[in-house]
Amino acid sequence: MKQPKYNEWRTCVQFLTPTWLFITICNSNSRRSIQCPPSSDACRHQACIWCTYIHSDIKRRLPKLVTGPQVLQKDLIKIAFGAGEMAQQVFYLMMSWPEPRKHWFPPPRPASEYVSEPNDWDSLSQELTNLTNLLYWPPTDGNRDDFLASTSPKTSTYRLKGPAQSSYTLGSNLEAILVARDHQGRPKTHGGDLFRAKLLGRELKAGVPGEVKDLENGTYLLSFPLLWAGWAQVQVRLIHSSEAVGVLQRIWRGKRATVDFRGYFRGRNGTQETVICNVDPQSTGAKGPTCQYRDVVSGEDWFCAQPSTLPCDALVGHSSGSYLNVTTPHDEDLLAGNVTDQPLASGISPILVKPAATGNLRNVALLSRPPCRPGHLSPKPSGFYHQDRWHSTFCSSRSFPTVDSILNCLAGRIVYMMGDSTLRQWWEYLRDTVPSLKPVDLHVTYQAGPLMAVDTTRGTVLHWRAHGWPLRSLRTPVASLHSVARELHGLAGGPSTVVVLGMGAHFTTFRPSIIARRLAGIRAAVKALLDREPSTLVVIKLANTGYKSVYGSDWLTLQVNRFLRAAFVGLQVAFVDAWEMTSSLDLPDYIHPKTLIVRNEVELFLSFVCPT
């Protein structure tokens, strides 16, 4: 198509109806703005040539541009064209993003001003401030310098709240009192410890998470629903003492980052440099200028120390870097393995649970539940295991025991999984379980993706890709790292589209503002997707248990899950509570759970895809 001459301007109000198209023509000598109101027939008439060219150019260069949203005043997206005579023409389109967005990566620019100016990276907008209010934790007062005064798993005890019974009724509750004590056996006078309790039925391959209520005086109320008939045993573990939680709080909120990353630069002549990169310029350790990279769809920033001989736009690769030394010797004592994730001595004998009525053959307490659909508010607990199968307490989760049952559910669907390696386990489980789902070699770094598997007979496509920066991975091309918000804005959606989001493990090494900002952008993108196609299914996988260190503690993951739940309040999305599903059986915690748990996570996910 012939490109219009530079001095010919046209516009088309039908291009992004009902929006207005603003055209600003800029060059070294002049700058003028022309507004074309939708009611102007003359403007509509003159628009044809120009608008046709713009539309075709955008379709060619920016296939992920979302068109046709509702209009919000003062929300502008700046779209720049750089080809030929169009190089100095800039178009401003009124769009419905929650804040100004650009739809491509602009050239990176030196960001040395960010190094010299003190920035408050925790200054969040109002909606993010509401999220940070979720981070309340009982005060962890006490002698922080005396290790012997910290909570000990060897001296802390628990007992039944009431008198022991010969048997208990199916569907009732069991309560216990836990008293935290220090290493000298003295009762604690404040709360803040992270205990995890569960009720196990080992012979029945059963388990359910218990509720631990911190009374903030050194005692804790434990509560367990009795959901299966048979023998059950209480188990309690001290994950972190309140003093160790205090260390985690101090580092999480006070340090900008506890890890760094490597950025690989390559010039056209083959020159290469490797620098430190991170979520903010200060964490790059740069003493000089830094390079700033902003995803103009999501607003996410990334920074690298500026190479000495190469420009910022020569960044081609990314990988994990170093774990930073952020603890003192005393901190390390409080986080040591002998006092972390340790069981308390059993204070309650095994109990026998019986059905309420004689002759009742039901062996689990499951009332009538609706099909699994988005928007359900999941209670606590959200489910339990029995015979190695997870039963949801808020919806009628289904079992998919055969390959055909899985294929029938996924037939004709395109599944987009975006997140970390624990979500990649879902993709791997389906790939390994269903022989007809054939992986396609896209010649990418496996840890970052994108990965794809296809069943051409059933019309099923499974995608997985990492959530972009920050990502601890082997070296991978920067071009492969896409933000979740960017990917979501590029989806049309519809009844055949399924989106699964899962993140957490890679965000525990940064201040809470990083995950809060990220989730605010993702929420906006999810809302926009559901607004344009309400039949799209969106599933949120919560982060699971696993790490116990200052870089990835369960306490940190618990805070991330609070963000994840709050970020999608009010949206028709579904949740898979991987935290509870990985902390309910008599199995050790692994950041990458065993196949048994992954299978149950996937089956709950499929229950939302195929609720009946």
Side-chain angles (χ1 to χ4, degrees):
M1 181 176 295
K2 183 178 179 181
Q3 179 178 320
K5 294 181 180 180
Y6 176 75
N7 60 355
E8 294 179 350
W9 65 269
R10 305 286 190 270
T11 189
C12 179
V13 293
Q14 292 138 339
F15 172 46
L16 282 177
T17 58
T19 66
W20 291 0
L21 179 64
F22 290 86
I23 300 178
T24 301
I25 302 178
C26 309
N27 57 28
S28 58
N29 299 320
S30 66
R31 180 182 181 92
R32 56 196 176 95
S33 298
I34 304 167
Q35 176 177 311
C36 179
S39 60
S40 171
D41 291 337
C43 179
R44 189 186 298 267
H45 173 72
Q46 295 178 8
C48 299
I49 298 176
W50 188 268
C51 180
T52 303
Y53 174 77
I54 295 173
H55 190 270
S56 64
D57 196 70
I58 289 177
K59 289 291 185 183
R60 176 172 61 86
R61 299 176 190 231
L62 305 172
K64 293 184 179 180
L65 177 65
V66 180
T67 60
Q70 298 176 349
V71 179
L72 294 180
Q73 293 293 331
K74 299 181 181 178
D75 292 334
L76 303 177
I77 290 182
K78 184 177 181 182
I79 301 180
F81 297 83
E85 295 175 328
M86 297 286 287
Q88 298 183 29
Q89 300 168 359
V90 181
F91 298 84
Y92 291 86
L93 305 181
M94 296 185 68
M95 304 288 281
S96 64
W97 307 112
E99 61 184 34
R101 299 283 194 218
K102 301 177 185 177
H103 279 264
W104 76 104
F105 275 108
R109 65 176 187 269
S112 56
E113 66 271 18
Y114 287 94
V115 176
S116 58
E117 294 181 0
N119 286 302
D120 183 4
W121 292 88
D122 282 331
S123 295
L124 306 177
S125 59
Q126 181 59 45
E127 60 269 24
L128 298 187
T129 301
N130 293 337
L131 290 180
T132 59
N133 291 336
L134 296 169
L135 298 182
Y136 172 78
W137 192 262
T140 58
D141 299 327
N143 189 344
R144 299 177 183 270
D145 298 325
D146 183 3
F147 173 79
L148 295 178
S150 64
T151 307
S152 168
K154 294 182 178 180
T155 60
S156 298
T157 59
Y158 61 94
R159 56 174 174 77
L160 287 175
K161 183 179 179 183
Q165 303 176 23
S166 59
S167 65
Y168 295 81
T169 303
L170 181 67
S172 63
N173 268 34
L174 180 74
E175 291 188 329
I177 295 293
L178 187 156
V179 178
R181 292 182 170 86
D182 65 17
H183 289 268
Q184 295 178 323
R186 298 171 299 188
K188 301 292 286 291
T189 58
H190 61 83
D193 300 292
L194 178 57
F195 289 101
R196 193 195 304 159
K198 64 182 78 171
L199 189 67
L200 299 172
R202 292 182 175 88
E203 293 182 357
L204 298 171
K205 300 177 182 178
V208 63
E211 179 186 4
V212 180
K213 183 178 181 181
D214 190 342
L215 302 181
E216 302 192 24
N217 61 2
T219 60
Y220 300 78
L221 177 63
L222 312 180
S223 180
F224 307 89
L226 304 179
L227 298 174
W228 64 84
W231 290 96
Q233 174 72 61
V234 172
Q235 183 188 95
V236 181
R237 302 182 75 87
L238 174 64
I239 305 300
H240 290 300
S241 67
S242 59
E243 291 75 16
V245 169
V247 172
L248 297 172
Q249 285 180 315
R250 186 192 80 231
I251 293 173
W252 190 44
R253 297 182 180 182
K255 300 288 185 182
R256 296 186 178 277
T258 57
V259 298
D260 62 24
F261 303 85
R262 298 295 179 266
Y264 302 91
F265 290 73
R266 184 174 63 240
R268 294 184 178 181
N269 61 355
T271 303
Q272 299 187 42
E273 288 192 54
T274 303
V275 303
I276 296 177
C277 302
N278 224 315
V279 295
D280 60 64
Q282 291 83 352
S283 298
T284 65
K287 300 188 182 302
T290 58
C291 299
Q292 179 189 18
Y293 304 87
R294 166 163 288 190
D295 186 314
V296 289
V297 174
S298 64
E300 299 163 13
D301 284 320
W302 189 249
F303 297 87
C304 292
Q306 186 168 342
S308 58
T309 62
L310 293 172
C312 290
D313 59 8
L315 178 65
V316 295
H318 165 86
S319 77
S320 301
S322 304
Y323 287 86
L324 307 180
N325 183 9
V326 294
T327 55
T328 67
H330 180 62
D331 295 341
E332 293 168 9
D333 288 341
L334 294 172
L335 294 166
N338 63 335
V339 291
T340 298
D341 191 21
Q342 293 297 309
L344 273 62
S346 178
I348 301 175
S349 300
I351 64 169
L352 179 61
V353 181
K354 294 183 177 181
T358 304
N360 185 348
L361 300 180
R362 293 188 60 179
N363 56 5
V364 292
L366 282 175
L367 302 176
S368 177
R369 296 155 297 152
C372 296
R373 301 190 188 279
H376 281 304
L377 295 177
S378 59
K380 291 291 184 181
S382 65
F384 66 98
Y385 286 100
H386 186 262
Q387 298 298 344
D388 279 344
R389 183 192 165 198
W390 181 262
H391 299 270
S392 169
T393 56
F394 64 90
C395 71
S396 53
S397 51
R398 300 177 56 199
S399 177
F400 295 82
T402 66
V403 170
D404 280 343
S405 64
I406 296 174
L407 280 174
N408 290 337
C409 179
L410 292 177
R413 288 184 166 88
I414 304 177
V415 182
Y416 298 91
M417 301 181 187
M418 307 174 216
D420 58 29
S421 56
T422 65
L423 183 57
R424 188 180 68 221
Q425 286 186 277
W426 291 18
W427 185 90
E428 293 167 337
Y429 172 80
L430 291 169
R431 176 202 62 189
D432 296 341
T433 303
V434 182
S436 60
L437 275 171
K438 302 298 184 183
V440 179
D441 187 358
L442 300 178
H443 304 285
V444 296
T445 304
Y446 187 80
Q447 283 185 308
L451 307 179
M452 183 168 69
V454 180
D455 183 326
T456 55
T457 303
R458 303 292 185 106
T460 301
V461 183
L462 298 182
H463 296 276
W464 174 86
R465 73 179 314 136
H467 51 58
W469 289 319
L471 181 72
R472 299 191 296 275
S473 70
L474 299 175
R475 180 168 174 172
T476 190
V478 167
S480 296
L481 301 178
H482 294 191
S483 74
V484 172
R486 170 184 288 271
E487 290 294 306
L488 292 174
H489 283 310
L491 297 181
S496 62
T497 300
V498 180
V499 173
V500 190
L501 307 178
M503 57 197 68
H506 294 262
F507 289 89
T508 58
T509 53
F510 306 100
R511 302 173 93 176
S513 58
I514 299 299
I515 184 65
R517 286 195 180 105
R518 180 67 57 90
L519 289 177
I522 293 174
R523 175 192 165 87
V526 168
K527 184 178 185 304
L529 173 61
L530 295 177
D531 284 347
R532 63 180 176 265
E533 249 328 327
S535 58
T536 307
L537 173 62
V538 178
V539 179
I540 310 299
K541 175 192 172 293
L542 298 183
N544 53 259
T545 59
Y547 293 132
K548 302 294 185 291
S549 76
V550 70
Y551 306 103
S553 158
D554 279 352
W555 183 85
L556 296 169
T557 303
L558 193 60
Q559 314 315 307
V560 170
N561 278 343
R562 290 177 170 182
F563 278 118
L564 282 167
R565 282 195 178 278
F568 298 98
V569 166
L571 299 183
Q572 291 297 303
V573 302
F575 285 95
V576 172
D577 194 338
W579 174 272
E580 289 194 348
M581 297 180 79
T582 54
S583 59
S584 298
L585 287 176
D586 192 19
L587 294 172
D589 290 341
Y590 293 115
I591 190 62
H592 296 116
K594 292 182 176 294
T595 302
L596 166 65
I597 294 175
V598 175
R599 171 175 61 82
N600 278 284
E601 291 176 350
V602 171
E603 289 193 347
L604 181 55
F605 156 66
L606 292 175
S607 298
F608 287 103
V609 179
C610 303
T612 57

